[in-house]
Amino acid sequence: DNRGVMHFLGGESQALARLKEYIWDKDLLKVYFDTRNGMLGSDYSTKFSPWLAHGCLSPRFIANECKNYEQERVTNKSTYWVVFELLWRDFFKLFALKHGGKIFLKGGTINSEKTWGYDDKKFQAWKGGRTGFPLVDANMKELLATGFMSNRGRQNVCSFFALDLDQDWRYGADYFESTLLDYDVHSNWGNWCSGAGMTGGRLNRFNIVKQSKDYDQHGDYVRHWLPELKHLPIEFVHEPWKMTENQQIEYNCRLGKDYPHPIIPPFYP
C-alpha cells in the first residue's frame, strides 16, 4: 500500500541498507529521540523492527553501529535512546522467560481476577478502524493495509481496546500477532499484558483525544488514513462528534454515514 511508511523488503541485504541509510546516509540517529513519536513517513523512527523480528538484523550489530556513530559524529540522548529501545526489547524476552505462559493468560503475570468483556461488534469496529475515534481508526487502518503501526499508535489502540472498551486484551494481542510485519512474541504479548494492567505497577490509560492532539497536532496523520475527514478543520478533526449537523454538511462528513459516531462516550479525565 503506497500510503504506508515505507516499502519493507525482507532479507539481510535490505536490513543493512536501511541501517546504513538511517544512521549514516541520512544522519538521523542524532534526532531519533525528538522524532520517535511520529506516525507519518519513513524517517520518524528507525523502522528496524521487521528485520529484527525475522532475524535479518542483529540487535548487537545495531548497538555497535550506534557506538561507532557516537565515536565518529555525536553522542547525545538520541544515540542512547536507540540502544535503550533494544534493551527494552530484551527486557520482554527475559520477562517472558521468567513468567512463561502467564503472559498469555487473561489475568496476566499477577493472576488478576478482573472480569474482561468481549463484544464482537466492538472488536470488529476496532479491527476495522470504525470506532469513531480518529486516532484509533487511522492506526488500525494503517495496520490492516500495511502490517505496520508506530509505537505511539500501538500504545493508544491497546489502551483504547483494553481500558476504554473494556475488552479482553488477549483478542487485541492475537490480532496484532496475525497482522504485524514485525511480530515478536515477547514484545507483543508482554506489551499487551502490560498495557492492560496485568503485570502490576502503574496503569497507563491513554486519553485518546489528548494523544491525538499532542502527536498529530495538525491532523495530517488522521486525514492521511481517513480521507472522509480531509475537509475537517483542526477543531474537529480529532473530535468530529463535536460538529453540528450544519457543520457536517459543510465539511462533507456526516456522522453515522461518512464516519461513525463514537462507539463509546469520549473519555475526558
Side-chain angles (χ1 to χ4, degrees), residues 132 227-232 240-262:
E228 59 269 37
L229 305 183
K230 64 182 179 181
H231 298 302
L232 270 61
W241 54 84
K242 288 188 172 182
M243 289 190 294
T244 65
E245 289 188 12
N246 287 337
Q247 287 168 331
Q248 292 175 42
I249 295 171
E250 179 183 357
Y251 301 126
N252 196 29
C253 181
R254 289 160 291 182
L255 296 180
K257 183 175 182 181
D258 301 309
Y259 186 70
H261 289 286

Side-chain angles (χ1 to χ4, degrees), residues 22-23 26-33 46 65-66 69-70 76 78-79 82:
Y22 183 85
I23 294 180
K26 292 186 176 180
D27 202 24
L28 293 169
L29 181 56
K30 65 184 179 184
V31 295
Y32 171 80
F33 184 82
T46 68
E65 285 297 283
C66 290
Y69 182 91
E70 289 179 328
N76 61 17
S78 292
T79 60
V82 169

Side-chain angles (χ1 to χ4, degrees), residues 167-265:
Q167 299 297 288
D168 186 337
W169 62 274
R170 297 173 301 167
Y171 284 92
D174 180 72
Y175 181 67
F176 269 34
E177 177 175 342
S178 69
T179 51
L180 283 171
L181 286 174
D182 61 3
Y183 170 71
D184 174 280
V185 60
H186 316 100
S187 295
N188 183 67
W189 286 87
N191 271 300
W192 268 95
C193 191
S194 175
M198 296 294 103
T199 59
R202 187 180 68 178
L203 178 63
N204 288 322
R205 181 181 180 185
F206 283 71
N207 179 337
I208 301 300
V209 173
K210 184 179 185 300
Q211 288 276 308
S212 192
K213 291 179 178 180
D214 285 349
Y215 295 103
D216 186 26
Q217 188 175 2
H218 301 293
D220 295 335
Y221 176 75
V222 296
R223 291 191 188 95
H224 182 74
W225 287 103
L226 303 170
E228 59 269 37
L229 305 183
K230 64 182 179 181
H231 298 302
L232 270 61
I234 190 66
E235 61 264 35
F236 297 128
V237 73
H238 303 295
E239 302 168 285
W241 54 84
K242 288 188 172 182
M243 289 190 294
T244 65
E245 289 188 12
N246 287 337
Q247 287 168 331
Q248 292 175 42
I249 295 171
E250 179 183 357
Y251 301 126
N252 196 29
C253 181
R254 289 160 291 182
L255 296 180
K257 183 175 182 181
D258 301 309
Y259 186 70
H261 289 286
I263 196 169
I264 56 172

